[in-house]
Amino acid sequence: MPAPLSLKLGALVKNRFTSEWEPTLLSEEILASGVWFYDDQIPFSAKLLKQKYNYTSFDLPEIEVTVHPFNLDYIDYSISDEGFIYFWQFEGQGRKSKSSTFGTYFAAREHINSYGTKYDISW
């Protein structure tokens, strides 16, 4: 009698992570963009980005015990159950920076308000 499908899939997933494994960016999408004003005066271009990676929040326990500690620096613990992270990217005045990451679109969208009240973003 053949093994149930869940056992077969479990065997495949079990070997997914190795000590040398590193996360891979699979896709990136701009969800919103516009201008944000530092101190409500200095303009910066702002983009809300959504990135898809080859791991999810469900994988984090296995990653922590399998992947070499040097590679753990590349793991984003804010990743969603579907493998997405969201963050703001700012550019202007000869500088480029980004916000912390978020596991949901709504948390990232609301975060722009913590930077100030003056912005013109196209959603």
Side-chain angles (χ1 to χ4, degrees):
M1 178 174 213
L5 182 58
S6 61
L7 289 178
K8 289 179 184 176
L9 291 176
L12 291 174
V13 173
K14 191 173 191 176
N15 297 326
R16 181 171 166 205
F17 302 106
T18 65
S19 65
E20 289 80 30
W21 179 88
E22 292 182 14
T24 302
L25 177 63
L26 302 176
S27 66
E28 182 175 88
E29 179 182 354
I30 299 171
L31 301 178
S33 62
V35 178
W36 167 77
F37 295 87
Y38 176 76
D39 279 343
D40 291 337
Q41 296 177 5
I42 304 168
F44 282 79
S45 69
K47 295 184 225 173
L48 176 57
L49 297 170
K50 172 185 175 183
Q51 293 182 334
K52 169 77 171 158
Y53 282 86
N54 64 336
Y55 69 103
T56 71
S57 63
F58 295 118
D59 298 320
L60 293 175
E62 184 180 352
I63 288 171
E64 285 188 327
V65 298
T66 307
V67 175
H68 191 280
F70 292 131
N71 291 341
L72 290 179
D73 288 343
Y74 303 108
I75 304 301
D76 192 314
Y77 290 88
S78 298
I79 199 155
S80 73
D81 295 349
E82 296 86 24
F84 295 110
I85 62 168
Y86 303 82
F87 63 93
W88 287 95
Q89 185 177 61
F90 303 97
E91 191 169 347
Q93 310 301 313
R95 296 179 291 197
K96 192 173 187 177
S97 64
K98 67 179 203 169
S99 71
S100 54
T101 57
F102 303 90
T104 68
Y105 165 78
F106 296 106
R109 181 178 171 147
E110 288 305 311
H111 188 70
I112 192 76
N113 294 316
S114 69
Y115 292 131
T117 58
K118 189 173 179 184
Y119 53 84
D120 183 15
I121 304 291
S122 298
W123 305 98

